[in-house]
Amino acid sequence: MSKNIVNVGVDIGNLTTISISNNGSCICESRIKKCEKGLDDFSQNQKFTIDGEDYLIGEGKYENELLKYKKDNYLILLYYCIANATKDTENNINLVTCCPVNQYKKKDEMEDYIKKNNKRIIIINGIKRSVVIENVTILPESYSIKSISSIMNKLNKNVDTMVIDVGGNTSDVTVYDNKMQLKDGFSIRLGLFNLYNYCREYLNTTYDLSLSLEQTKRIFDNEEYLLVGDFKYKEELVKKFIVNLVNEIKGQANNIKNSNIFIIGGGAKIISPTMKKIYQQTISSEDITLQAQGLLNIANKLYK
């Protein structure tokens, strides 16, 4: 009997991880914690088991690693999201994922790493599965967006296109020529972690607190209240982050005034209004699943 191999697109970020198959999807924080007996028994976050080790999703610390596949939690995130985006019987996987364009020369190392770790036993919701990655393809980040016609139709024709992906650890810029062929790319060591750290330093200093990065993010996102004072200075910190990022982009990008500018990623909502004022041709998407959607589109073409 031939295997039923399922296509899955996975976008693993330092803040958020997203996977999409033709039958489902998974969006989770890129934080995982090993379960400890006691208080973890009361956690409302999903508990799961991989190779006999129990974990909680959405708890623990963010891992700030430039080469994402070298993060301690990379494989755990990968298999957790694959399992949650597929049916219980869909255990053989064609994987399409991505890395920043300036790291693409190392994509063979990333591919080999995944192939050497292509099987995991995972238990989710009491169901035990043996998930096997049969094939893996790695693309430059943002390349998959070329497969999304609703985005491509918004771009001006016959000019270069610059895609800016504002993530947790970095902001990755990919440049395409006037025929949408990959031309260049670079990473700026400035991302949302920097913004959250600006905020954490301000709050801890101003109110004599000891907030973690994770707590500060929740306060920034209005998911946790600040009882000891207000956060009116937030706008100034956001402005500082935007000015620094825009200056970095302008300093490294050529012909930015005569290029399409498309902003994606978790920070698109924060930076796009300012970029649109400076460069009126700027468009953006706050849909954080966009890249994973494109990866699945390409998987469906590669693995028919």
Side-chain angles (χ1 to χ4, degrees), residues 155-161 177-180 258-260:
L155 299 175
N156 296 299
K157 308 300 180 185
N158 300 317
V159 296
D160 286 3
T161 296
D177 66 16
N178 62 336
K179 302 299 182 184
M180 281 304 291
N258 199 53
S259 300
N260 290 310

Side-chain angles (χ1 to χ4, degrees), residues 169-223:
N169 191 29
T170 61
S171 294
D172 298 304
V173 180
T174 309
V175 182
Y176 299 88
D177 66 16
N178 62 336
K179 302 299 182 184
M180 281 304 291
Q181 299 300 307
L182 185 61
K183 182 178 178 180
D184 194 10
F186 55 90
S187 287
I188 297 169
R189 292 299 298 269
L190 196 61
L192 292 177
F193 284 146
N194 297 89
L195 175 57
Y196 299 145
N197 275 319
Y198 295 162
C199 296
R200 177 171 63 171
E201 182 178 346
Y202 170 80
L203 292 172
N204 285 345
T205 301
T206 303
Y207 299 115
D208 191 25
L209 300 172
S210 297
L211 297 173
S212 67
L213 179 67
E214 292 74 23
Q215 286 176 295
T216 305
K217 179 183 180 298
R218 291 196 295 271
I219 293 172
F220 184 92
D221 293 338
N222 297 316
E223 296 173 357

Side-chain angles (χ1 to χ4, degrees), residues 106-212:
K106 295 185 177 182
K107 68 109 174 173
D108 290 342
E109 295 177 20
M110 182 177 177
E111 186 175 319
D112 288 344
Y113 179 71
I114 294 172
K115 286 180 176 178
K116 288 176 182 177
N117 295 277
N118 73 323
K119 181 179 179 180
R120 287 292 185 272
I121 305 296
I122 184 167
I123 302 172
I124 295 182
N125 298 324
I127 298 173
K128 185 176 182 179
R129 299 172 58 181
S130 178
V131 177
V132 180
I133 298 174
E134 302 283 354
N135 300 289
V136 56
T137 298
I138 298 171
L139 299 173
E141 285 184 0
S142 86
Y143 185 87
S144 67
I145 291 169
K146 292 169 60 176
S147 71
I148 302 176
S149 58
S150 61
I151 297 299
M152 299 303 295
N153 291 337
K154 294 179 181 179
L155 299 175
N156 296 299
K157 308 300 180 185
N158 300 317
V159 296
D160 286 3
T161 296
M162 182 180 301
V163 181
I164 304 171
D165 185 351
V166 184
N169 191 29
T170 61
S171 294
D172 298 304
V173 180
T174 309
V175 182
Y176 299 88
D177 66 16
N178 62 336
K179 302 299 182 184
M180 281 304 291
Q181 299 300 307
L182 185 61
K183 182 178 178 180
D184 194 10
F186 55 90
S187 287
I188 297 169
R189 292 299 298 269
L190 196 61
L192 292 177
F193 284 146
N194 297 89
L195 175 57
Y196 299 145
N197 275 319
Y198 295 162
C199 296
R200 177 171 63 171
E201 182 178 346
Y202 170 80
L203 292 172
N204 285 345
T205 301
T206 303
Y207 299 115
D208 191 25
L209 300 172
S210 297
L211 297 173
S212 67

Side-chain angles (χ1 to χ4, degrees), residues 15 165-167 192 264-270 288:
L15 277 172
D165 185 351
V166 184
L192 292 177
I264 61 174
K269 182 178 181 180
I270 295 172
I288 61 172

